[in-house]
Amino acid sequence: MIVLGIETSCDETGVALYDNARGLLSHALHSQIEMHREYGGVVPELASRDHIRRIAPLIRRALSEADCTLNAIDAIAYTQGPGLAGALLVGASVGAALGFALNIPAIGIHHLEGHLLSPLLSTPAPQFPFIALLVSGGHTQLMRVDGVGQYQLLGETVDDAAGEAFDKTAKLLGLGYPGGAALSILAERGRPGRFKLPSPMLHSGDFNFSFSGLKTAVLTLIHQQPEDPQTYADIAWAFQNAVITVLTGKALAALAESGLSQLVVAGGVGANKQLRCQLTEKTEAAGATVFYPQLEFCTDNGAMIALAGALRLQAAYGDQVEFARGFTVRARWNLAQDPENAPCVPIKPE
Ligand code: KG4
Ligand code: ZN
């Protein structure tokens, strides 16, 4: 079964083709980061318009790279939420319209489900059940994943997401938007130990996180210290270290409490080199294994949506996929707690 995946929830237009039998056939991506940079953040209206401009050429490119035609596609999976409503509508309406035209199902996928299944695109892939640490620009969550559609939220951030904290702190340090990757590069020149920042909620006894206080602590440091490049690099190191200490500590505690031995890390912050180093070292020391998506699938992409769609459809229908008609988007959508977490069990036509 070949599934066309479409991702347009925020500032990346992603398209991919995934085959249950052969794996990922192709993927094409356009990032809007350059366009939003001058505004210091994502401008929703510009994002929607750009998705409209990019989506058809990207679909054509993904098809051509996979040497595939539209008629060979068996189903379409698009990101239904959460995200920017206008941006989501572009992918949802293109997906639903193509599904209608080709007479194949078009199903909605939860963006975070895409992220947390994304390490399954790599070899070796994790096996269910596993613990997932989701660290993106909009979310920071620890989940227990028992299978496709079986997600139990263990804890999440009570304020800023980890990526959001990286971006806001990067801004304070004079780095551009989005600043996560730039901050981690600056931190490489930082000297460990010059500044000590708190690791919030490390010993809170639950699996929740809080990152907004860290950003304030950085602001206080910046005001107290001279404005020189080494000081900024040292602050970046201290900030990154504080975030990594909490993420690593809680992920390991979740592994220990659940008795599971596989950890999956997904979302943009999962691209952070130091986070990967520390998580790998500590999970191995604990006798567990950590799985990461390939770097290009850490941030938003169409491959993870195509994969999630293929797995959802296969779990529901085997190879005989059924039809869906009509579509909605959900700008806010809770993956684990929503009793209607059946994003894509397609509806049969009348
Ligand atoms: O998963 P993603 O593409 O978007 C959301 O769904 O939110 O993640 C984007 C986030 C941004 O906040 C970005 O600054 C952060 O991931 N990020 C990083 C790194 N690369 C991207 N944060 C820390 N270190 C990195 N190397
Ligand atoms: Zn994302």
Side-chain angles (χ1 to χ4, degrees):
M1 176 171 58
I2 297 181
V3 178
L4 170 71
I6 299 175
E7 155 64 34
T8 63
S9 68
C10 189
D11 57 350
E12 261 104 20
T13 321
V15 173
L17 287 161
Y18 182 87
D19 182 352
N20 287 71
R22 290 177 291 160
L24 188 66
L25 304 181
S26 67
H27 77 102
L29 186 85
H30 176 78
S31 168
Q32 304 176 352
I33 283 177
E34 284 311 319
M35 185 181 76
H36 296 296
R37 186 162 275 147
E38 68 173 293
Y39 305 99
V42 178
V43 183
E45 181 59 25
L46 292 184
S48 314
R49 291 183 198 187
D50 202 62
H51 286 308
I52 292 171
R53 254 195 306 273
R54 308 286 175 185
I55 191 139
L58 283 173
I59 292 175
R60 268 186 235 115
R61 204 167 93 202
L63 284 168
S64 125
E65 278 172 19
D67 202 13
C68 182
T69 62
L70 271 180
N71 288 327
I73 298 171
D74 297 293
I76 295 166
Y78 58 85
T79 305
Q80 190 174 26
L84 302 170
L88 288 165
L89 274 168
V90 178
S93 53
V94 168
L98 253 185
F100 188 77
L102 297 170
N103 207 25
I104 56 173
I107 60 174
I109 291 295
H110 196 295
H111 180 77
L112 295 184
E113 178 171 39
H115 273 304
L116 68 82
L117 296 177
S118 61
L120 297 175
L121 288 164
S122 304
T123 323
Q127 306 285 316
F128 300 117
F130 54 75
I131 297 293
L133 172 67
L134 262 174
V135 274
S136 71
H139 295 85
T140 302
Q141 299 185 331
L142 267 167
M143 295 240 186
R144 182 190 163 108
V145 180
D146 283 288
V148 176
Q150 294 172 263
Y151 312 119
Q152 185 195 345
L153 183 69
L154 304 177
E156 63 184 335
T157 181
V158 296
D159 43 52
D160 290 353
E164 190 179 357
F166 263 93
D167 293 340
K168 288 179 176 172
T169 303
K171 213 173 213 172
L172 296 175
L173 292 170
L175 304 169
Y177 171 86
L183 191 149
S184 72
I185 291 167
L186 179 63
E188 281 174 18
R189 286 191 278 119
R191 293 170 302 186
R194 178 170 168 204
F195 299 116
K196 175 98 184 95
L197 289 172
S199 291
M201 293 180 77
L202 182 58
H203 302 295
S204 62
D206 57 20
F207 297 116
N208 290 333
F209 304 88
S210 165
F211 294 111
S212 71
L214 256 185
K215 169 194 70 198
T216 315
V218 166
L219 187 62
T220 310
L221 258 186
I222 288 174
H223 285 147
Q224 290 166 347
Q225 298 297 324
E227 200 183 319
D228 73 277
Q230 187 58 54
T231 298
Y232 275 27
D234 295 342
I235 295 176
W237 188 93
F239 166 81
Q240 180 172 267
N241 185 56
V243 174
I244 291 174
T245 304
V246 186
L247 293 176
T248 309
K250 300 253 170 173
L252 275 135
L255 275 178
E257 195 177 288
S258 65
L260 300 182
S261 59
Q262 296 174 100
L263 174 69
V264 154
V265 182
V269 183
N272 187 282
K273 258 199 247 162
Q274 273 307 317
L275 175 67
R276 286 183 174 223
C277 274
Q278 293 212 21
L279 271 177
T280 304
E281 192 186 309
K282 300 231 162 86
T283 37
E284 277 174 8
T289 315
V290 58
F291 297 85
Y292 305 98
Q294 292 168 44
L295 277 180
E296 60 186 331
F297 300 137
C298 275
T299 43
D300 294 349
N301 64 84
M304 65 184 194
I305 303 303
L307 169 78
L311 294 179
R312 278 273 182 185
L313 284 164
Q314 200 169 39
Y317 301 109
D319 285 332
Q320 295 295 309
V321 289
E322 299 206 10
F323 284 85
R325 288 284 176 257
F327 65 94
T328 54
V329 295
R330 304 191 202 180
R332 290 175 172 274
W333 186 8
N334 189 322
L335 177 60
Q337 287 166 353
D338 187 348
E340 286 178 53
N341 173 27
C344 54
V345 177
I347 315 150
K348 242 188 162 142
E350 292 302 312

